[in-house]
Amino acid sequence: MIDATAGPAPAPRRPGTAEIAVGGIILLGWLVMALGADWIAPYDPNAIDLRGILGAPSPAHPFGTDQLGRDVLSRVLHGARIDIWMGLVGVLAPLAIGIAVGLVSGYFGGAVDMAMMRLVDITVAFPFFILVIAIVGVLGPGLMNYFIALALVAWVAYARLIRAEVLVLKRAEFVDAARTLGFPHRVILFRHVLPNALGPILIYAWTDALLVILAGASLGFLGLGAQPPTAEWGVMIADGQPYVIQAWWICFFPGLAAVTLGLGLILVSDGLARRHQVDQ
Amino acid sequence: MKPLVEIDSLAVDFTTPDGVVNAVRGVGFKVEPGEILGIVGESGSGKSVSCRALLGLLPRHARVGGRIVYDGRELSTLTPAELAAVRGRQVSMIFQNPSSHLDPLMTIGEQVAEPMKFHFGLDRRAARRRALELLEVVRIQDAGTRMNAYPHELSGGMKQRVLIACALACEPRLLLADEPTTALDVTVQAGILRLLRTLNRERGLSMILVSHDLGVVAEVCDRVVVMRGGEVVEQGTVTDVVRQPRNAYTRELIDSQPGRLEMSSGRHARPAPLLEVKGLRVRFARRGGTVAFGGDKTQGIDALADVSLDVHAGETFGIVGESGSGKSTLARAVLGLVDTSAGSIRYDGRALAGLDKSERARFRRDVQMVFQSPYDSLNPRMRVLDAIAEPIWRHRLADPGEAGERAAELMDMVELSPALARRKPRQLSGGQCQRVAIARALALSPRLLIADEVTSALDVTIQAQVLRLLARLKEMRDLTIIYISHDLAVVRRFCNRVAVLKQGRLMEVGYTRTVFESPSSEYTRELIASAPDLDALRGGAVPA
């Protein structure tokens, strides 16, 4: 019984931990600021003060004030809510659709797969952002319609990723083993295939969250996303654009917020990717 | 005579994030001019590392200590240019996987000619002529036309021959062969080993043959070095080491050779057929073409053609064949993992095609399979105990809690320490994973167990343990076993009856003894003759 007791012990340190930790702290910080915006923000984000418009950063207004005298700091903090919410829903909705389609398509193959993949081909034939703008244009501006447009367009990336993983996994011996053990398809799909297919998709999802936030901010900038006076970073940058020469802070601070949030997301995604690589 | 290579107290350390690993310690051996030295050992024994140290092929983070003397000159005292001359011209190496050492975009003629242009400054035409000669030396048939072939057009054995031709191009004095036949079928392996012996005899080429297979070493080598855990445990002439091993590990290695295993193939089978396969045909759609549209089955290739055989209750039935023989396809067809095109499979008197839902569930419990790759056959995300318990509660044979207890009993039965219960497959050794897979297969108390190459990824001493375990479980649980293998020696020891497959066709089937002692087909005869056998020592002659 030589080989029954010996064996490699669990690895003590896993790669990517530093990235995940730093990224996680940044994201956690933003989450706290977003959730606690009501208490942290020094002013009401929509309180107009026409006597203090375009005020430079000062002790009273650390990030300055905008063209309507609203406190930029308070608006950035409240904007975080909208933008994080956007990243969350904007990823989860397409993710759910993509997983369902990718699993079924990859595992069962055949005519279902053919139909699904042609639908994917048609969708990716259009530039992503143009298609989102077109759909929002038809449905009308607003956050809800942005989410609908995303769900209709962004699922294809997830469906393709999942399908590719499933195609490999369904040939794995442990899936054959599950079949010979008489497990139903549902169990094989959700217990044995899906958990092993999720790795690359979750890594992608973190990066995708950034894209969704930036796309949402861009829509806000174009006036198709969140509507004024809602404090949303894209809307704020759009509002500040005419004044960027006199009052750089109106655009700068929401931009900086988007960059740091994005950095956090990218770091976590990178860390997970490195960890996944080692696990393989 | 002065030895060609003398290695003395060689030590190789690897610096890893988890600290320094001593891969090799205090290793010393000599290669006399014109001899073939075998280095034998299991995975992690340091046999490849020792060999690569000689060629300077170790990764950069390796630290090499000790003395390596080649032809009277110590390698550490040489200038980089002299070192390159020794390593480039005097010593060549061939590897286990020839495909990864051949450039897929170059014809084989160019690949063999390339080093000669570089080292000897031959012009294109002369190098080509020389390459043709070399391809003939390594017995590539029709070498003139094959020269213009690309690697993917050749079989594995042919590629290995091309790699040998490349190695010979600079007329080396020493050839290092690292597991050169491990990836090859046994009949192909026999051809390559014959070629190596011929090269040694006719050109006086010295060789170091690294192998996990003592049988291969015994067939080819004059002397052998046995390694374990980075150290040399024994060395001497092959005859001495095999006949009178002095070291306990060497003895275990020899006793673990399938041909030497002490194993009864069990009680005599009851002649009632448990599984009847009649006229089975499995046809795969041809690759390329219209696979996207479901494939054209009329244009397909037959993985199995007209195979008929019976497996009796209580017996161990061996299925033997080389790669592409259809032996795994047969197992998968029985289990319903591939669709059959014609023929019938009956289990316990009932045709599988006509089973209703509850009979089908019964069949799924009764017939289980253990797969080839220890790591791939377990869900990497499930803990060992959960993997074994899952079939029990999913089939509602017990609630999850009780299933866990039964799984623990099964772990005990397959001799796995309870301490491993919470590990994931990645944290186990190959042998341990295979035991988990066996325990999981037994969880539903099957009557028929199909074992598909279950030991081919394992070291030979671990293989012996797993085989003994299977034999014990068969007696204990009254199992019928279908044992699929490319290894004739294992099948001979382990099975009551055996079927021989070749390219999807049944060559013969019969009692193991009859098949091995008086094979009725030419192919079976060739297969048996090709298998390396420790007891048919052909080496052992001291070099002249």
Side-chain angles (χ1 to χ4, degrees), chain A residues 6-237:
Chain A
R13 184 160 44 100
R14 302 180 67 190
T17 308
E19 286 97 327
I20 295 173
V22 174
I25 289 170
I26 295 176
L27 293 184
L28 200 69
W30 271 118
L31 199 64
V32 168
M33 285 191 271
L35 292 176
D38 283 338
W39 297 278
I40 303 171
Y43 302 93
D44 177 343
N46 295 324
I48 297 173
D49 177 12
L50 291 175
R51 278 166 303 174
I53 60 167
L54 302 180
S58 63
H61 298 281
F63 286 4
T65 58
D66 67 6
Q67 71 283 5
L68 296 175
R70 295 175 294 195
D71 181 49
V72 175
L73 174 61
S74 305
R75 286 183 68 74
V76 165
L77 290 174
H78 281 271
R81 283 185 178 181
I82 307 280
D83 284 84
I84 289 174
W85 177 240
M86 216 152 58
L88 210 62
V89 180
V91 165
L92 289 182
L95 184 68
I97 299 174
I99 284 176
V101 171
L103 269 184
V104 170
S105 194
Y107 186 74
F108 294 104
V112 183
D113 186 33
M114 273 286 285
M116 299 274 197
M117 285 307 112
R118 296 301 79 77
L119 194 59
V120 167
D121 289 345
I122 292 168
T123 314
V124 293
F126 295 95
F128 171 81
F129 201 56
I130 304 290
L131 201 53
V132 171
I133 290 176
I135 295 173
V136 173
V138 171
L139 296 176
L143 260 192
M144 200 55 219
N145 290 340
Y146 173 53
F147 291 148
I148 293 172
L150 265 183
L152 286 176
V153 176
W155 63 273
V156 291
Y158 293 101
R160 282 181 147 193
L161 276 171
I162 284 269
R163 178 176 172 273
E165 289 289 311
V166 172
L167 284 181
V168 174
L169 283 169
K170 78 169 175 183
R171 280 180 185 79
E173 284 185 351
F174 69 84
V175 172
D176 279 341
R179 286 172 69 188
T180 57
L181 287 164
F183 297 164
H185 288 310
R186 164 181 53 83
V187 170
I188 296 176
L189 267 179
F190 289 103
R191 189 79 183 92
H192 295 275
V193 174
L194 182 59
N196 290 293
L198 273 181
I201 285 83
L202 292 185
I203 293 164
Y204 175 73
W206 286 92
T207 324
D208 193 39
L210 173 62
L211 297 177
V212 165
I213 290 172
L214 293 184
S218 310
L219 277 187
F221 182 84
L222 294 176
L224 293 170
Q227 293 302 301
T230 317
E232 192 276 334
W233 297 340
V235 175
M236 290 169 68
I237 295 171

Side-chain angles (χ1 to χ4, degrees), chain B residues 160-387:
Chain B
Q160 192 59 283
R161 283 173 193 268
V162 171
L163 205 62
I164 294 174
C166 290
L168 293 180
C170 293
E171 292 171 10
R173 293 175 65 194
L174 177 67
L175 180 68
L176 304 182
D178 190 356
E179 303 269 12
T181 58
T182 305
L184 304 176
D185 278 329
V186 59
T187 50
V188 182
Q189 160 169 294
I192 298 282
L193 294 180
R194 228 170 5 246
L195 172 64
L196 291 179
R197 268 202 308 270
T198 312
L199 291 173
N200 168 254
R201 213 171 33 237
E202 288 176 0
R203 311 185 142 224
L205 181 64
S206 312
M207 290 182 202
I208 298 180
L209 177 74
V210 175
S211 181
H212 69 287
D213 188 336
L214 197 54
V216 166
V217 167
E219 289 231 335
V220 182
C221 301
D222 307 302
R223 288 191 311 116
V224 60
V225 172
V226 183
M227 291 191 66
R228 185 196 196 187
E231 291 178 59
V232 173
V233 296
E234 182 161 1
Q235 54 180 311
T237 67
V238 172
T239 325
D240 286 352
V241 170
V242 171
R243 301 239 165 99
Q244 289 128 19
R246 279 165 314 192
N247 178 279
Y249 173 70
T250 314
R251 213 168 302 133
E252 190 193 346
L253 202 60
I254 292 169
D255 291 341
S256 299
Q257 296 298 312
R260 295 286 179 96
L261 283 182
E262 295 289 332
M263 200 177 331
S264 75
S265 37
R267 273 170 292 168
H268 203 72
R270 297 177 292 270
L274 184 64
L275 187 77
E276 298 156 88
V277 175
K278 233 184 215 83
L280 186 67
R281 178 183 298 272
V282 175
R283 170 165 282 199
F284 290 129
R286 226 190 4 210
R287 270 182 293 173
T290 55
V291 171
F293 293 94
D296 184 355
K297 298 242 170 178
T298 55
Q299 282 287 306
I301 35 168
D302 284 330
L304 283 177
D306 200 26
V307 171
S308 301
L309 46 85
D310 291 348
V311 178
H312 301 160
E315 77 174 337
T316 306
F317 186 86
I319 300 178
V320 179
E322 298 186 296
S323 49
S325 64
K327 53 191 195 302
S328 293
T329 307
L330 180 55
R332 297 169 64 83
V334 168
L335 284 162
L337 293 177
V338 294
D339 294 332
T340 60
S341 314
S344 71
I345 303 169
R346 297 172 81 81
Y347 170 76
D348 214 8
R350 309 284 307 263
L352 290 191
L355 294 185
D356 64 29
K357 202 165 176 240
S358 74
E359 287 171 325
R360 185 127 211 109
R362 173 86 230 160
F363 173 78
R364 282 282 176 234
R365 286 205 295 276
D366 268 13
V367 183
Q368 285 304 323
M369 177 148 166
V370 182
F371 294 84
Q372 176 172 4
S373 348
Y375 293 97
D376 192 37
S377 69
L378 298 172
N379 184 341
R381 293 190 179 265
M382 276 175 97
R383 292 179 195 284
V384 166
L385 193 77
D386 299 337

Side-chain angles (χ1 to χ4, degrees), chain B residues 98-137:
Chain B
S99 311
S100 58
H101 293 275
L102 291 173
D103 185 336
L105 297 179
M106 245 172 138
T107 64
I108 61 169
E110 289 170 49
Q111 310 213 20
V112 179
E114 190 71 17
M116 291 181 292
K117 284 193 266 183
F118 180 73
H119 282 293
F120 299 129
L122 293 185
D123 64 40
R124 201 172 156 270
R125 188 170 304 174
R128 230 182 125 71
R129 205 164 40 236
R130 187 82 186 92
L132 180 64
E133 282 170 34
L134 284 169
L135 289 174
E136 278 163 359
V137 165

